Amino acid sequence: MLDCTPDISNEEQMSLVIKCVDMSTSPTKVEEYFLGFVKVDDSTGRGHFNKLEELLQDLDLDIRNGRRQGYDNGANMTGKNKGVQKRLLKKHVKGLTVKPLSDTRWESHIEAIKAIRFQALEIRDALSELLSLADFDAKTRGTAYSILTREIDNFELILGMVVWHKLLLAVNSVSIKLQTKDMHLDDVVTKLKDLFFFFKDYRRNGFEEVSEEAKTLATFMNIDSIFYEVRARKRKQHFDEIETEEVQSPLQGKKAFQIEYFIFIMDQAISSLKRRFKQFQAYKETFGFLFDIEKVRYLDNNTLRNSCVKLEKYLSYEMELDINGDELYMELKVSQIFLPKETKKAIKC
């Protein structure tokens, strides 16, 4: 597991932790070792991977013996670096642990927004009181005045705050569920799918709802529910053009906020979640048949064998195999006789 953070001199430092499973003892022992900090010049996904390869070579450890990768879907491990991630997953590391949306940063985000969303009036009163005190220097009072007049007493800020609060609240509720110990791959896919459809509905129907909620809050704070208007500019005409009253009319007021802020944010969220959903759907197609006892019990021979062979191929590198697909197939065929009649998750069986 790799994690990067800047030190006091603002140089990126990567910590390296290796977890070892010792099966030569009874019971099996699992131990973690912190191997130290390493200066990193390239903090992209490719940079992390190259540094990891270098470190493991220095430690005389074969990366092909690795069985697990943990990451929090950070921007430097997805998106434009997904080719490097795919290379690491498919060619080197033969297992996968992913924590989708389970980063505690989601919780900190929603808590930060909630503090402003439900204490905006108290924050404004505190800023007003700060302006009336002579104990603070002009710079501090100037900052307070700017925040008060340009941000707190701004309807668009209030509306944006309400939009983000509802969005992050939905994400955080799913994040908490995905962190439970009994969460399974099928459940992850279902939760992400539900969140995806919530985003789609929120984008299509949610703006008027949050606008009314923001108006109620603005009224309570004695703030006018008005949007910023841009003055329409006349287009400069050339001397040989017929004079007209044509003007360039940018999107104005509420419509501008809806399209350029609300819909833009929702499109970004939907696009990001769609990538995550496809990623986990692919994992489900490879591993999913092992997570549903009903499927294992009633799969026909051809489908079950193909699933086992597909899993063997996924957990292989060059000529090395983690499992034998045919042997797994035979074991599952035998186990069908003993599987419980009632529906249970694989881990319970």
Side-chain angles (χ1 to χ4, degrees):
M1 292 188 290
L2 309 174
D3 191 20
C4 287
T5 187
D7 61 15
I8 194 171
S9 61
N10 287 325
E11 289 189 337
E12 200 76 8
Q13 299 284 343
M14 180 172 71
S15 61
L16 174 63
V17 176
I18 290 181
K19 178 182 289 186
C20 298
V21 181
D22 184 359
M23 294 187 293
S24 65
T25 63
S26 182
T28 300
K29 290 198 310 181
V30 179
E31 298 178 332
E32 284 188 350
Y33 296 92
F34 168 65
L35 301 185
F37 292 104
V38 182
K39 181 177 177 296
V40 177
D41 296 317
D42 184 355
S43 60
T44 64
R46 179 178 297 278
H48 286 171
F49 178 68
N50 290 340
K51 180 59 69 171
L52 173 62
E53 275 193 312
E54 178 185 319
L55 291 171
L56 293 180
Q57 289 172 2
D58 292 342
L59 294 168
D60 197 24
L61 295 173
D62 189 346
I63 194 172
R64 291 174 295 181
N65 290 329
R67 289 297 183 275
R68 196 167 283 254
Q69 182 199 24
Y71 67 96
D72 65 356
N73 278 309
N76 60 337
M77 291 302 291
T78 55
K80 66 179 181 180
N81 296 303
K82 62 185 177 183
V84 179
Q85 173 187 318
K86 184 177 180 182
R87 170 191 170 205
L88 188 148
L89 293 180
K90 284 199 169 184
K91 297 187 66 175
H92 297 286
V93 182
K94 303 175 185 174
L96 183 64
T97 293
V98 185
K99 300 184 293 181
L101 305 177
S102 63
D103 196 325
T104 55
R105 287 175 294 180
W106 287 110
E107 296 177 30
S108 63
H109 288 165
I110 185 62
E111 289 301 320
I113 291 291
K114 185 166 68 174
I116 304 175
R117 165 67 181 84
F118 294 103
Q119 298 179 14
L121 183 60
E122 289 81 358
I123 293 174
R124 188 178 68 174
D125 290 343
L127 290 170
S128 298
E129 184 176 349
L130 180 63
L131 289 175
S132 66
L133 297 176
D135 298 342
F136 296 95
D137 56 55
K139 182 179 179 181
T140 301
R141 282 183 289 166
T143 302
Y145 178 79
S146 177
I147 295 174
L148 181 62
T149 57
R150 297 183 182 181
E151 299 183 26
I152 298 297
D153 283 347
N154 183 332
F155 177 68
E156 291 191 4
L157 175 84
I158 294 175
L159 178 53
M161 180 174 59
V162 173
V163 169
W164 273 106
H165 180 258
K166 188 166 185 177
L167 175 64
L168 291 176
L169 191 64
V171 172
N172 191 55
S173 64
V174 174
S175 173
I176 291 173
K177 292 176 182 177
L178 296 186
Q179 294 180 65
T180 56
K181 293 182 178 180
D182 60 348
M183 180 61 63
H184 294 269
L185 188 58
D186 283 349
D187 299 324
V188 171
V189 173
T190 299
K191 296 299 181 186
L192 292 179
K193 186 176 181 180
D194 290 344
L195 184 61
F196 174 76
F197 283 121
F198 167 79
F199 281 177
K200 295 278 286 187
D201 182 69
Y202 187 33
R203 181 192 187 278
R204 185 169 52 249
N205 304 311
F207 184 71
E208 290 301 325
E209 178 185 339
V210 293
S211 294
E212 291 303 315
E213 186 176 340
K215 287 180 182 178
T216 301
L217 179 58
T219 300
F220 179 71
M221 298 176 62
N222 294 319
I223 296 175
D224 294 331
S225 301
I226 59 175
F227 290 87
Y228 177 70
E229 297 279 351
V230 179
R231 179 183 297 178
R233 295 181 179 179
K234 287 188 176 182
R235 184 177 64 85
K236 184 177 180 180
Q237 293 181 323
H238 297 285
F239 70 93
D240 58 345
E241 287 185 307
I242 299 175
E243 186 175 353
T244 66
E245 293 297 323
E246 180 185 0
V247 295
Q248 292 180 330
S249 300
L251 290 171
Q252 295 287 350
K254 183 177 180 179
K255 195 66 176 178
F257 189 93
Q258 180 180 6
I259 294 176
E260 297 174 356
Y261 186 87
F262 178 76
I263 291 181
F264 175 79
I265 289 174
M266 293 311 305
D267 285 344
Q268 293 293 311
I270 290 170
S271 176
S272 176
L273 193 60
K274 187 183 293 186
R275 291 196 300 270
R276 310 288 169 84
F277 178 76
K278 287 183 178 179
Q279 182 185 47
F280 277 89
Q281 188 65 38
Y283 300 152
K284 181 180 178 181
E285 291 173 1
T286 302
F287 297 96
F289 74 104
L290 294 175
F291 284 81
D292 191 331
I293 296 304
E294 289 292 321
K295 289 181 181 178
V296 175
R297 186 189 298 121
Y298 296 114
L299 279 179
D300 62 86
N301 292 346
N302 188 52
T303 302
L304 183 59
R305 182 186 293 275
N306 288 339
S307 297
C308 294
V309 171
K310 183 178 181 179
L311 184 61
E312 174 195 289
K313 184 177 180 180
Y314 187 87
L315 298 178
S316 65
Y317 173 63
E318 294 181 347
M319 300 301 294
E320 298 180 18
L321 304 176
D322 262 13
I323 65 168
N324 183 296
D326 290 330
E327 290 181 2
L328 177 61
Y329 166 73
M330 292 305 300
E331 290 178 8
L332 291 176
K333 284 299 297 179
V334 172
S335 70
Q336 285 178 331
I337 304 172
F338 305 102
L339 289 175
K341 299 301 181 183
E342 66 275 14
T343 301
K344 285 187 177 182
K345 294 293 185 181
I347 193 170
K348 291 183 179 179
C349 291

